[in-house]
Amino acid sequence: MAGHSKWKNIQRRKNAQDAKRGKVFMKMAREIFVAAKEGGGDPEMNPSLRLAVDKAKASNMPNENIDRAIKKATGDLDGVSYEEMTYEGYGPGGAAVMVKVLTDNKNRTAAEVRHAFNKNDGNLGENGCVSYMFDRKGYLVIERSAHDVEEDDLMLEVIEAGAEEMETNEETFEIYTEPESFSEVKKKLEQSGYTFETAEISMFPQTYTPLGEKETEKMLNLIDTLEDNDDVQDIYHNLEADEEVLEKLT
C-alpha cells in the first residue's frame, strides 16, 4: 500500500468539495436504495445495506432520509429502479480511471461520462481495461486524536481482529482488510471502543501514474466533472501528483 497517501490527498480534496450536502445525500440514498433492493431492508441481515447506512450516518445524513430510501426499495414507497454500472478508461497522461454509477437511464449516463472524458483529453475503454490495476480492500481510518492508544497496542488488536495491514501517520491509523472480513474487523474494533473517520470498501491502485502540472489540472477537471454528475457514486484513479502542484491547483 506504499504511496496510498497520494490517493488520500485527492480523497481529502474530494471530501472538501462534497460540501454540497444535498447532492451527497442523494447519492448515498441511491446506494442505500440499491443495497436494500438487492438484499432486504434489515441492515443486521444485509451487510451491504449496513455499510451504506454507516457511510451515510458518518456524513450526518438524517435518519429520515435513510429510512425513506430503505422504504422505497422495499416497496413501502414508490421509487424508481437503478442499475449499477462501472465505466473504465484513461484520463490525461494515461492515468487509470474507474467510475461507479447508479442510474435509471444508462444511455444518458454513458453519454455524459464519455463526454467528461473526451472534454478532458481522456477516453473511455472496454470493461476490464484498467480494473486489473486496482485491488478491492476494506479501509478503516482511526483518528489519533480521538483515541489514547499506542501504535503497537492497536497493531495487536488489529491483527487479532483479522485485518490485513495497518499504516500510520501523524494524524491517523489506516487499516486494510480483505473485503470479506471487513464487517467482522470493523465490528470487533467497535466493540473495543474505536470509532472511525472512514469505514468503506474501496478500490486502491497497485501503482500510480505521475503527471505534470497541465495534465494534473486536466485530471482534476475530469474528476470534478464526474463528481458533479448525479449518477456518479464513486471515482477511483491512480493519479500521482506533486504536492506543490496540488496545492497550487486547489
Side-chain angles (χ1 to χ4, degrees), residues 85 87 99 101 103 105-120 123-124 222 225-226 229 231-232:
M85 304 180 69
Y87 297 97
V99 185
V101 306
T103 178
N105 186 330
K106 61 182 182 182
N107 291 331
R108 177 199 67 219
T109 303
E112 291 174 348
V113 171
R114 185 178 301 277
H115 177 71
F117 273 82
N118 292 341
K119 183 180 178 182
N120 293 285
N123 61 282
L124 280 180
L222 170 59
T225 302
L226 291 169
N229 189 311
D231 296 334
V232 173

Side-chain angles (χ1 to χ4, degrees), residues 135-243:
D135 292 321
R136 188 167 179 262
K137 298 285 184 183
Y139 181 56
L140 300 161
V141 179
I142 297 175
E143 287 188 334
R144 282 179 176 268
S145 60
H147 299 278
D148 183 17
V149 60
E150 294 293 330
E151 180 178 335
D152 290 344
D153 293 336
L154 178 57
M155 176 68 80
L156 288 176
E157 291 189 75
V158 166
I159 293 172
E160 290 176 358
E164 187 178 58
E165 184 180 358
M166 185 177 87
E167 291 185 353
T168 63
N169 56 53
E170 293 182 357
E171 299 177 354
T172 62
F173 300 104
E174 300 177 30
I175 301 161
Y176 301 88
T177 78
E178 291 296 337
E180 298 77 15
S181 60
F182 172 80
S183 294
E184 185 64 20
V185 172
K186 180 174 179 287
K187 180 180 178 181
K188 288 181 178 179
L189 292 175
E190 284 176 334
Q191 290 173 342
S192 297
Y194 295 104
T195 57
F196 306 103
E197 176 188 358
T198 302
E200 62 185 9
I201 295 177
S202 189
M203 302 293 290
F204 297 91
Q206 299 165 1
T207 59
Y208 290 82
T209 299
L211 298 179
E213 182 174 337
K214 289 185 178 179
E215 290 176 330
T216 296
E217 184 175 14
K218 290 180 180 179
M219 183 67 175
L220 296 180
N221 286 337
L222 170 59
I223 294 169
D224 287 344
T225 302
L226 291 169
E227 285 177 348
D228 283 340
N229 189 311
D230 291 341
D231 296 334
V232 173
Q233 296 294 114
D234 291 294
I235 305 163
Y236 311 111
H237 58 81
N238 70 345
L239 164 67
E240 178 179 343
D242 183 88
E243 290 291 337

Side-chain angles (χ1 to χ4, degrees), residues 8 11 14 16 47 81 88 164 195 207:
K8 189 175 180 183
Q11 287 299 107
K14 173 182 182 298
S81 178
E88 302 180 33
E164 187 178 58
T195 57
T207 59

